[in-house]
Amino acid sequence: MSSVRRVSHEFLKRQGLTTVFGNPGSNELPFLADLPEGFRYVLGLHEGAVVGMADGYAQATGRPVLVNLHAASGSGNAMGALTNAVASRTPLVVVAGQQVRPAVGPEANLANVDAPALMKPLVGWAAEPACAEDVPRALAQAVFEAGLQRRPTYLSVPYDDWAVEVDDNCLAVLDRRVERASVPDGEQGRRLAERVAAAERPALVLGGDIDSAGLFDCAVRLAERLGGPVWAAPSLFRLPFPNRHPLFRGVLPAGIAPICAALEGHDLVLVLGAPVFRYHEYLPGRYLPEGTRLIQVTEDASAAARAPMGEALVADPRAVIELLLEQLGTLTAPTGPYRPVPEPPTAEGPLLHPEEVFAALRDEMPEDTAYVVESTSTNSSWWRQMDLRRPGSYYFPAAGGLGFGLPGAVGVALAQPDRPVVGVIGDGSANYGITALWTAAQHRVPLTIVLLRNGTYGALRWFGDLLGVPDAPGMDIPGLDFTRIAEGYGVSARQVGDAEELRAVLAERPDKPRLVQVDTALTTPS
Ligand code: TZD
Ligand code: CA
């Protein structure tokens, strides 16, 4: 005989979910009892930061990750952060504590009434097992569903379940293995290859899933074979292609009319690993130019089903890229040299232009640095200066929910201890996930946070002009000093004054986290 807890811990260990990101409450303590050797508990001080860190960690490892949260209040705090994990298709397995079974109905304090319903709009699967004996199986389902659907899942477990003895049937779950294969059949593959080969002016649009799936380099081979231009899909959260590659045209603007304009002149648009499309600003128009056909290849069945136009093939983009390379041949046309970087503009007075900051990062940080970016008004400055040629170089909050950047950077750094990691964080964004600084300090994560302080919600000022609302209140955020905030959380911090000082600081390689605050001029996102 064994207990629900022992079988569950053993299952998690066998599946490799041994790093637990959490913030505990009384309901969660019985799950955390007797964690076996090899488990690592990463404490976050707020659930938004817990999920942001887990999201960064799961994206950087490419594997499901366990998150342990408190019942309704803790899970509720995590919801905003989960919106990003849904959009980046991050397989987070959230296990939350519940009051003991007899106390849920009477709504004792800390009971999560109808726990799965709280999370359902966001998670791909949510449950509270009908009896204690079903907990290990349900936990396995939560892990497998997260991996298969590439979407967070949620399991609520009454805390009196963990000590319950289970019979041998429960042990069967320990040996389970669940995999997916999704290769197009011969006919589908031939048809697709014919369509692509017949296109006179094909264009590629690549989504964040291409980088998540480890297809960054494959995408380069395909693009060089096709010879046509490459865009990154709008609302980009991972960079799928080297941004200074001669075929790269940038990130598609996130509006209907501008996308239509950008794709003008192409008879075929092949979208790989992205929804069609994740628009943001509502700029109505034709979806596609006259005479342009669109084919979307994605593993995300919902993204295929909900697209407003085009054809879709629900399949593994890796299989499709390999199939196209095989059927089209691998001869590549010469593409020319990588595009050079421009000289950054300088700002007036004591402020740095964001491009000066990014040029410093580009020059002083190693080529394989992973950047987690959450600075919204500096988007175009960023792409003008950066030269990212490696997979896993860029992360951005996938649903635009602030509070991912700082925790996400901590999670990426925990996942890849040998890779330099920089968080590029706005003075507005930093506040939504600020407590992750404490976790970084406690784990001595060698992470650099470059804090861009322009004293305002810059992107919202720009949006205000776009929407004809130039006078909205609540746009400015004066009086924040992140060097003092960081020190309070145990992270050493400094203010830098000019580009030269910034470059000198970035050239150092500290073995623990640090925050570098830079006062920057206001720019616009595009
Ligand atoms: N709250 C959350 C959780 N997510 C959001 N996206 C917003 C509010 C709204 N918001 C944006 O979409 S951008 C932005 C806000 C408040 C300003 C971010 O300010 P920042 O960056 O200082 O980080 P910039 O470069 O000054 O825009
Ligand atoms: Ca700002």
Side-chain angles (χ1 to χ4, degrees):
M1 292 288 273
S2 189
S3 66
V4 168
R5 175 170 41 234
R6 292 217 11 213
V7 179
S8 298
H9 286 168
E10 178 63 21
F11 173 78
L12 291 169
K13 196 169 170 178
R14 292 196 189 182
Q15 296 290 327
L17 282 81
T18 50
T19 296
V20 188
F21 291 86
N23 185 268
S26 49
N27 293 352
E28 291 69 43
L29 299 179
F31 165 69
L32 296 172
D34 298 329
L35 272 181
E37 186 100 0
F39 274 77
R40 167 167 70 154
Y41 186 84
V42 180
L43 175 62
L45 302 185
H46 181 277
E47 290 80 1
V50 170
V51 169
M53 290 192 291
D55 190 351
Y57 188 89
Q59 287 197 53
T61 57
R63 298 196 31 80
V65 166
L66 189 68
V67 177
N68 188 234
L69 299 180
H70 191 43
S73 53
S75 300
N77 276 353
M79 293 291 270
L82 275 178
T83 64
N84 290 319
V86 171
S88 54
R89 307 185 68 229
T90 308
L92 298 182
V93 180
V94 182
V95 175
Q98 168 67 295
Q99 257 290 8
V100 293
R101 287 185 181 268
V104 179
E107 300 190 13
N109 210 5
L110 307 185
N112 189 354
V113 180
D114 202 356
L118 178 72
M119 313 302 284
K120 271 230 166 102
L122 291 181
V123 298
W125 178 89
E128 187 171 279
C131 61
E133 291 74 11
D134 193 39
V135 169
R137 187 211 58 80
L139 177 64
Q141 186 174 359
V143 171
F144 296 139
E145 296 270 9
L148 292 169
Q149 295 187 37
R150 304 294 298 188
R151 194 168 172 124
T153 55
Y154 186 80
L155 182 68
S156 165
V157 184
Y159 76 76
D160 47 345
D161 285 5
W162 296 108
V164 170
E165 295 287 313
V166 293
D167 64 17
D168 284 354
N169 260 352
C170 268
L171 304 181
V173 81
L174 295 176
D175 298 321
R176 295 212 63 217
R177 190 184 165 98
V178 176
E179 295 178 346
R180 176 199 284 280
S182 44
V183 179
D185 70 25
E187 180 50 31
Q188 289 168 323
R190 254 192 313 282
R191 231 181 15 237
L192 181 67
E194 271 168 28
R195 298 276 301 280
V196 174
E200 282 170 14
R201 296 200 59 206
L204 267 184
V205 176
L206 304 174
D209 292 357
I210 294 298
D211 193 43
S212 311
L215 299 175
F216 189 93
D217 296 319
C218 295
V220 173
R221 283 199 293 283
L222 178 64
E224 292 181 352
R225 173 62 192 80
L226 293 179
V230 178
W231 277 274
S235 304
L236 192 67
F237 62 93
R238 302 272 298 252
L239 180 68
F241 200 80
N243 76 303
R244 306 208 87 82
H245 189 284
L247 293 174
F248 194 60
R249 298 287 178 272
V251 184
L252 278 175
I256 296 172
I259 286 188
C260 182
L263 298 175
E264 189 66 57
H266 293 288
D267 52 346
L268 181 71
V269 178
L270 183 60
V271 183
L272 300 177
V276 171
F277 284 111
R278 219 172 146 79
Y279 302 111
H280 182 182
E281 301 92 354
Y282 185 62
L283 301 168
R286 275 186 69 98
Y287 285 125
L288 290 171
E290 190 84 51
T292 300
R293 306 295 294 271
L294 182 146
I295 303 175
Q296 173 194 25
V297 176
T298 176
E299 268 199 316
D300 181 350
S302 161
R306 70 176 182 261
M309 77 294 202
E311 297 167 42
L313 178 62
V314 178
D316 179 357
R318 178 188 297 277
V320 169
I321 293 176
E322 282 171 0
L323 178 152
L324 286 175
L325 286 174
E326 199 182 292
Q327 303 214 4
L328 301 175
T330 49
L331 262 188
T332 59
T335 50
Y338 272 50
R339 287 179 295 114
V341 288
E343 196 60 35
T346 50
E348 298 279 305
L351 304 179
L352 263 75
H353 193 287
E355 285 196 44
E356 291 180 272
V357 178
F358 304 148
L361 285 170
R362 182 198 65 222
D363 293 343
E364 305 302 333
M365 294 304 298
E367 231 195 302
D368 67 334
T369 300
Y371 295 94
V372 184
V373 179
E374 195 170 277
S375 163
T376 45
S377 66
T378 55
N379 183 50
S380 63
S381 298
W382 172 262
W383 293 118
R384 257 200 301 281
Q385 289 301 326
M386 297 312 284
D387 183 352
L388 304 177
R389 302 186 186 199
R390 304 285 181 94
S393 288
Y394 176 77
Y395 301 82
F396 188 88
L402 303 179
F404 166 80
L406 214 159
V410 176
V412 171
L414 281 168
Q416 302 183 324
D418 299 327
R419 191 168 180 177
V421 180
V422 174
V424 178
I425 313 291
D427 54 352
S429 296
N431 302 290
Y432 301 85
I434 196 72
T435 60
L437 286 173
W438 178 85
T439 307
Q442 294 298 313
H443 289 261
R444 287 184 68 92
V445 179
L447 163 73
T448 297
I449 300 293
V450 175
L451 196 296
L452 304 174
R453 187 168 67 160
N454 58 11
T456 186
Y457 288 149
L460 298 190
R461 290 187 160 279
W462 172 81
F463 244 107
D465 289 342
L466 198 77
L467 300 179
V469 186
D471 56 352
M475 294 290 107
D476 286 336
I477 46 171
L480 286 165
D481 181 350
F482 290 92
T483 64
R484 292 169 65 192
I485 294 169
E487 296 282 357
Y489 280 114
V491 169
S492 61
R494 60 190 288 183
Q495 170 88 29
V496 299
D498 59 29
E500 202 179 320
E501 189 186 352
L502 175 64
R503 284 173 182 264
V505 169
L506 291 177
E508 295 164 11
R509 297 280 166 267
D511 61 358
K512 57 185 179 42
R514 59 173 174 172
L515 182 141
V516 182
Q517 181 168 271
V518 195
D519 287 336
T520 49
L522 182 59
T523 51
T524 56
S526 63

